[in-house]
Amino acid sequence: MKWLRKGMVALVRFYQLAISPLFPPSCRYYPTCSSYMITALEKHGPFLGLIMGIARILRCNPFIRGGYDPVPDYFTVFRNKQPDATKSAEN
């Protein structure tokens, strides 16, 4: 399944380099949704990472407050409730 994860990451990187620059920045979150997708794929594998990335893209809309939302260490389709705890654990 490593090849599947690498293929998905390559597709997201292609989007970041070739498609995303054609549009104005619109992601409400940090890290961006495409960076979140790559991290989720690398951290949780191709299936759970894809589900988490799609859920994040669906959350990225004008009706939701954006802000800092890193990929949690556990699988969830919801926003990271304590992003500061994750940030301090990384340091």
Side-chain angles (χ1 to χ4, degrees), residues 3-18:
W3 58 270
L4 184 58
R5 178 178 45 89
K6 287 187 176 201
M8 291 175 155
V9 168
L11 286 173
V12 176
R13 293 233 190 262
F14 172 78
Y15 165 79
Q16 287 177 326
L17 295 172

Side-chain angles (χ1 to χ4, degrees), residues 17-77:
L17 295 172
I19 298 170
S20 182
L22 301 175
F23 300 98
S26 60
C27 189
R28 304 176 64 77
Y29 290 105
Y30 175 80
T32 63
C33 292
S34 57
S35 296
Y36 184 96
M37 175 77 83
I38 290 172
T39 305
L41 288 168
E42 291 173 346
K43 195 180 258 193
H44 298 287
F47 299 110
L48 295 179
L50 181 64
I51 292 169
M52 289 178 76
I54 290 171
R56 167 69 177 274
I57 291 168
L58 293 174
R59 286 195 311 265
C60 191
N61 64 65
F63 304 108
I64 302 293
R65 179 180 58 90
Y68 182 63
D69 181 32
V71 177
D73 292 332
Y74 54 89
F75 172 78
T76 181
V77 294

Side-chain angles (χ1 to χ4, degrees), residues 71-86:
V71 177
D73 292 332
Y74 54 89
F75 172 78
T76 181
V77 294
F78 300 107
R79 182 182 174 134
N80 194 346
K81 300 289 185 206
Q82 298 175 338
D84 294 330
T86 305

